[in-house]
Amino acid sequence: MADAALFEFLHTEMVAELWAHDSDPSPGGQKMSLSVLEGMGFRVGQALGERLPREMLAFREELDVLKFLCKDLWVAVFQKQMDSLRTNHQGTYVLQDNSFPLLVRMASGQQYLEEAPKFLAFTCGLLRGALSTLGIKSLVTASVAALPACKFQVVIQKS
Amino acid sequence: MADAALFEFLHTEMVAELWAHDSDPSPGGQKMSLSVLEGMGFRVGQALGERLPREMLAFREELDVLKFLCKDLWVAVFQKQMDSLRTNHQGTYVLQDNSFPLLVRMASGQQYLEEAPKFLAFTCGLLRGALSTLGIKSLVTASVAALPACKFQVVIQKS
């Protein structure tokens, strides 16, 4: 039995469920489902963040927090590390996963690219939620150029 | 980080989400949300079942299948075994978990008992789905007498 698969299967069902019961197929309705998923991810990320050992909550440097997400959080959720982390040193970070587990099972090909956002919204929320627990307000968006690789862009919101 | 917690948090969010967006607070609406959750559980259970090693799919005895759910499936999903398994040897099985993880975080007390079904529907589906992959049609219901203990009743449907 693979308990890692449990999260993947459940995530797939969640996406399917939200789109199946979405009575509004317009772009507005789509946006609503995406924001529901993002919100669920945010709260799960916050909750995961609250279980961190205390010393981790005392990170001083933004970059250390991001590195932590790319290693520990990613391994805990996806059993792999993020493949790369880049920053412009001005509060914008680009996290790249060359083989994002929630996209791996999708057929590849240009025509499936438009389906990808459904499978990224929850994880964008998850990153934003974990950052929030670590004291960092952010905006997180994701983009896909070629399946199953994707990039998460984290823009820190200075208060 | 605890990845085991991921499933619990996600499950909690799913329940909250289904009830938050349930515009119909009547018993009929409640029933609808419960059946959505049960259906998601069923498909996740089926999918988990499909990842079983082949030799497990060749179980001959019903009782062996049930024992397998109580041990391996429960450990994979909840990191613990079921506490007891009883049967009338006529196709009805009662699986008891004295400290069911999805109920543990709920405050205890008679007044919370009526909330319990929300937190059991997904798992009823999960059991029914796993049994289905193993070739057994069943009806699965759950009941709670004292939180956080609960009983799952599996009634095998002879074809």
Side-chain angles (χ1 to χ4, degrees), chain A residues 13 32 66 77 91 95 105 110:
Chain A
E13 284 304 318
M32 171 76 184
L66 269 293
V77 176
L95 293 64
R105 279 170 220 272
Q110 274 313 107

Side-chain angles (χ1 to χ4, degrees), chain B residues 5-51:
Chain B
L6 184 63
F7 166 67
E8 270 181 50
F9 292 147
L10 193 50
H11 180 271
T12 306
E13 284 304 318
M14 252 170 26
V15 172
E17 190 52 46
L18 275 168
W19 266 262
H21 287 253
D22 193 351
S23 45
D24 179 1
S26 71
Q30 283 258 358
K31 226 167 160 176
M32 171 76 183
S33 298
L34 287 178
S35 95
V36 167
L37 270 179
E38 206 271 348
M40 293 173 79
F42 179 76
R43 289 183 298 277
V44 171
Q46 271 189 317
L48 284 178
E50 278 158 14
R51 294 171 62 103

Side-chain angles (χ1 to χ4, degrees), chain B residues 108-130:
Chain B
S108 53
Q110 274 315 107
Q111 73 268 42
Y112 298 104
L113 272 186
E114 65 185 65
E115 300 291 319
K118 294 182 193 179
F119 296 93
L120 300 172
F122 180 86
T123 307
C124 286
L126 193 81
L127 287 168
R128 192 168 68 85

Side-chain angles (χ1 to χ4, degrees), chain B residues 58-66 136:
Chain B
F59 280 136
R60 280 301 164 87
E61 298 286 335
E62 223 172 68
L63 185 59
D64 291 330
V65 175
L66 269 293
I136 297 178

Side-chain angles (χ1 to χ4, degrees), chain A residues 25 73 75 86 105 156:
Chain A
L73 181 81
V75 168
R86 285 177 300 142
R105 279 170 220 272
I156 310 296

Side-chain angles (χ1 to χ4, degrees), chain A residues 1-155:
Chain A
M1 295 300 298
D3 24 332
L6 184 63
F7 166 68
E8 269 182 50
F9 293 146
L10 194 50
H11 180 271
T12 306
E13 284 304 318
M14 253 170 27
V15 171
E17 190 52 46
L18 274 167
W19 265 262
H21 288 252
D22 193 351
S23 45
D24 179 2
S26 71
Q30 284 257 358
K31 226 168 160 175
M32 171 76 184
S33 298
L34 287 178
S35 95
V36 166
L37 270 180
E38 205 272 348
M40 291 173 79
F42 179 76
R43 290 183 297 278
V44 171
Q46 272 190 316
L48 284 178
E50 279 157 15
R51 293 170 63 101
L52 297 177
R54 246 154 214 275
E55 59 269 31
M56 288 189 180
L57 297 173
F59 281 135
R60 278 303 161 85
E61 298 287 335
E62 225 171 67
L63 186 59
D64 291 331
V65 175
L66 269 293
K67 281 182 183 166
F68 165 78
L69 295 186
C70 291
K71 289 189 185 173
D72 305 66
L73 181 81
W74 225 242
V75 168
V77 176
F78 299 113
Q79 293 80 48
K80 73 183 290 278
Q81 291 192 15
M82 191 77 84
D83 292 297
S84 76
L85 168 64
R86 285 177 300 142
T87 176
N88 66 355
H89 297 288
Q90 297 187 345
T92 298
Y93 297 83
V94 176
L95 293 64
Q96 174 150 352
D97 190 326
N98 295 329
S99 177
F100 183 54
L102 300 180
L103 293 175
V104 164
R105 279 170 220 272
M106 268 177 82
S108 53
Q110 274 313 107
Q111 72 268 43
Y112 299 103
L113 273 185
E114 64 185 66
E115 300 290 319
K118 296 182 191 178
F119 296 92
L120 299 171
F122 180 85
T123 308
C124 287
L126 194 81
L127 287 169
R128 192 168 68 85
L131 282 167
S132 156
T133 299
L134 292 159
I136 296 177
K137 275 182 82 170
S138 63
L139 284 179
V140 181
T141 52
S143 60
V144 177
L147 291 165
C150 72
K151 284 182 187 173
F152 295 91
Q153 176 168 288
V154 177
V155 180

Side-chain angles (χ1 to χ4, degrees), chain B:
Chain B
M1 296 299 298
D3 25 333
L6 184 63
F7 166 67
E8 270 181 50
F9 292 147
L10 193 50
H11 180 271
T12 306
E13 284 304 318
M14 252 170 26
V15 172
E17 190 52 46
L18 275 168
W19 266 262
H21 287 253
D22 193 351
S23 45
D24 179 1
S26 71
Q30 283 258 358
K31 226 167 160 176
M32 171 76 183
S33 298
L34 287 178
S35 95
V36 167
L37 270 179
E38 206 271 348
M40 293 173 79
F42 179 76
R43 289 183 298 277
V44 171
Q46 271 189 317
L48 284 178
E50 278 158 14
R51 294 171 62 103
L52 296 178
R54 244 155 214 273
E55 59 270 30
M56 288 189 180
L57 297 173
F59 280 136
R60 280 301 164 87
E61 298 286 335
E62 223 172 68
L63 185 59
D64 291 330
V65 175
L66 269 293
K67 281 182 184 167
F68 165 78
L69 297 185
C70 291
K71 288 190 187 172
D72 304 66
L73 181 82
W74 226 241
V75 168
V77 177
F78 299 114
Q79 293 78 47
K80 73 184 291 276
Q81 292 192 14
M82 191 76 84
D83 293 297
S84 76
L85 167 64
R86 285 177 301 142
T87 176
N88 67 353
H89 297 288
Q90 299 188 342
T92 298
Y93 297 84
V94 177
L95 293 63
Q96 174 149 352
D97 190 326
N98 295 329
S99 177
F100 183 54
L102 299 180
L103 293 175
V104 163
R105 279 170 220 273
M106 270 179 80
S108 53
Q110 274 315 107
Q111 73 268 42
Y112 298 104
L113 272 186
E114 65 185 65
E115 300 291 319
K118 294 182 193 179
F119 296 93
L120 300 172
F122 180 86
T123 307
C124 286
L126 193 81
L127 287 168
R128 192 168 68 85
L131 281 167
S132 158
T133 300
L134 292 160
I136 297 178
K137 276 183 80 170
S138 62
L139 285 179
V140 181
T141 51
S143 60
V144 177
L147 292 164
C150 72
K151 284 180 188 173
F152 296 91
Q153 177 169 289
V154 177
V155 180
I156 309 298
Q157 307 291 290
K158 301 289 177 197
S159 50

